[in-house]
Amino acid sequence: MSSPPPSHVGEASTSRQRSRNGNNGNGNGNNGNGSGSSRSRRQRRRRPQTPTPSPQVVVITSQEASTSTYYNLNGGVWPEPFVESLALQLALDTSLSHGRLAVAPTLAILFQVCTTWRAVSRSELLWQNLVRIVWNSTDLHRPTWREEFIYLHSTSRNFRVSRYSYYVLRPSDHLLAAAPGGDDGGAADQLPLLCLRLVLAGDHLAVGFSDGSVRIFHLPSRLHLQTIHPLLRDHLGLFSRAVSGIVLQPLADRVVFASLDGDIHVASPLGGPTSARRAYLGDVVNDGALVDFTGGGRFWVGLYAGVPGRAFRVWDADSEELLFMGGSLTDPESVMGWHMLTEIRPTEFVGRIRVASQGLAVGVTSLRALVLDLEQHVEVMGEETSRRGIIVGSVDANDDAFVMVDTRGTASVRQLRTLEEMSRFSVSHRGGGGAPSVPLRGMLGCINNMYVMMCAGGTIRVWDAAQGEYLYSLREWVEEATALAADDRHIVATSSDSTIHMWDYGA
């Protein structure tokens, strides 16, 4: 009799097996005794096929990344200069697309790929370039460039989330000045000083007053270092000596300040109690009033009003040589320029002039805004006329852009070179929306590298410059603000009683 098939083998396979073995199902046939060895030979011949490998995605965890080496598609290790270039390009793209605060988290992920890439993150040259590209800075204030980058990121983050310390700065000298009398030097009524100009540079603050004096403060210690007075001479108008602009170098080793009568003085406030030196003697009768003065890099620029065709003057900051004179920007405001010599209204401005580090200047009046190229030959690069009118006190600029507000309360942030609009937002509504409730008269504005600040009705509010997003209002009240300034760490404002308010966002 034939033996039954194994229980795990089906009938069809049993029939095929019998056919191949040459029997009819009787296990005692001719080949019956060799069926086991035949089956063994077939199993050896029927080897399993090796499957064709398919592409696989390899996921490197953060733990594996710390002990692995990254290879490119050709099997070689990417060189460190290539990784540095990749990091710089990634930082630039991230900054442009998602903002500067997104760069640090992106780089942190990049440097976790492997130990080789993490080693690149210790390159001082890389961090120096990152500080320049992302934060537009070439100054080192911390022990290393990596620490400088971290500090700038943390400070900017504090600015965005309203994390600051508030202080009041007080000059050590008496804030009363005698109103100038006649030629005999007699004193008239005592007039309280008004703060008219604020300039921040590094760890120092320069404050310009209506009597022509400039006070220098050290911000970390909040101490008043020195008071600088201009050289006296015959003057035309009660306030002809009032400070109209200040240029302060970051280390405060040189301060340049101008007055409405056109005089420009230079002093070294940290070199001891030395008097200022007159670098330029103004001629208010033939030139008009010097209504605004500023500088940056290689140039000083003055904005005049009172004499047609003489709106601008440009000096070489090193040689103090006059390079250019001309322009008609302030011709319609000539009468107002003369009135400033006898009547001070701190929040009413004839015009504003601001200088960027790349040799550009933006000049604004209530009717027009124009951009000047100061390099080689002074020429107008762009110009725009406002149909609604511009609130001159709201105008300020950084190295890449400037901000201005029209008389309907719409703020516009523009590129310096092209006048192209970057963002637009309303400043006439509290909290960025709702019924109009913010007075525009007397509005003061300033801008740093990332944020716009506007002071109106005693409240300072902050917007994102690139997106126009309203962020917050400062809790502290500024009574009758007369001046406003900001850098990437501080906001400073002064009130009509000469109180100096400071908000410090330092990490």
Side-chain angles (χ1 to χ4, degrees), residues 239-410:
F239 294 100
S240 61
R241 290 203 299 261
V243 174
S244 58
I246 306 172
V247 180
L248 180 64
Q249 293 183 349
L251 298 178
D253 54 353
R254 188 188 192 203
V255 58
V256 184
F257 60 101
S259 52
L260 283 173
D261 60 9
D263 283 3
I264 299 175
H265 289 82
V266 179
S268 298
L270 301 184
T274 58
S275 60
R277 169 179 60 86
R278 184 182 286 118
Y280 184 80
L281 180 64
D283 186 355
V284 68
V285 174
N286 294 316
D287 297 334
L290 179 51
V291 297
D292 202 12
F293 175 81
T294 187
R298 296 174 40 226
F299 304 101
W300 303 338
V301 182
L303 182 65
Y304 291 77
V307 178
R310 296 193 175 188
F312 297 104
R313 290 202 174 196
V314 180
W315 291 267
D316 184 286
D318 295 325
S319 65
E320 303 176 4
E321 176 187 0
L322 181 63
L323 303 177
F324 173 82
M325 178 178 63
S328 59
L329 178 66
T330 58
D331 286 1
E333 285 82 10
S334 294
V335 175
M336 186 177 177
W338 290 111
H339 283 184
M340 291 185 66
L341 297 171
T342 58
E343 183 180 4
I344 286 290
R345 296 178 180 177
T347 59
E348 294 186 11
F349 301 90
V350 175
R352 278 272 175 97
I353 186 74
R354 293 292 183 266
V355 174
S357 60
Q358 63 265 38
L360 298 178
V362 55
V364 180
T365 65
S366 60
L367 302 176
R368 286 195 296 164
L370 58 82
V371 177
L372 298 174
D373 184 0
L374 305 179
E375 299 289 347
Q376 303 300 327
H377 303 286
V378 178
E379 58 182 3
V380 177
M381 293 185 60
E383 182 175 356
E384 183 172 314
T385 302
S386 175
R387 293 177 298 175
R388 297 178 177 179
I390 302 171
I391 301 175
V392 179
S394 69
V395 176
D396 196 26
N398 57 29
D399 285 339
D400 301 310
F402 70 97
V403 62
M404 59 183 179
V405 178
D406 65 28
T407 55
R408 294 189 181 180
T410 300

Side-chain angles (χ1 to χ4, degrees), residues 1-3 5 11 14-33 35:
M1 294 182 60
S2 62
S3 59
E11 184 64 28
T14 302
S15 300
R16 289 193 299 269
Q17 181 178 339
R18 288 171 181 169
S19 175
R20 285 192 293 269
N21 290 339
N23 60 43
N24 55 2
N26 188 348
N28 297 325
N30 295 333
N31 298 329
N33 295 333
S35 61

Side-chain angles (χ1 to χ4, degrees), residues 156 158-162 164 425-427 431-432 446-448 450-455 459-465 468-475 484 486 491 503 505:
S156 182
N158 290 346
F159 235 111
R160 184 169 185 86
V161 301
S162 186
Y164 60 81
F425 51 90
S426 174
V427 300
C446 60
I447 184 173
N448 60 17
M450 291 185 64
Y451 305 102
V452 173
M453 283 63 65
M454 292 289 166
C455 181
T459 300
I460 298 176
R461 292 179 294 160
V462 182
W463 285 263
D464 182 281
E469 176 189 2
Y470 170 76
L471 299 177
Y472 57 87
S473 299
L474 296 181
R475 297 183 298 270
L484 179 68
I491 300 176
W503 295 262
Y505 292 82

Side-chain angles (χ1 to χ4, degrees), residues 158-196:
N158 290 346
F159 235 111
R160 184 169 185 86
V161 301
S162 186
R163 185 182 297 118
Y164 60 81
S165 299
Y166 170 74
Y167 305 98
V168 174
L169 304 181
R170 303 187 184 280
S172 59
D173 50 357
H174 191 50
L175 286 183
L176 285 178
D183 294 338
D184 57 356
D189 296 335
Q190 295 288 316
L191 296 177
L193 292 185
L194 292 175
C195 173
L196 303 177

Side-chain angles (χ1 to χ4, degrees), residues 202-224:
D203 290 335
H204 295 86
L205 167 70
V207 186
F209 289 87
S210 54
D211 69 336
S213 64
V214 174
R215 287 164 173 80
I216 308 297
F217 292 84
H218 183 244
L219 296 179
S221 63
R222 300 185 295 280
L223 294 178
H224 172 209

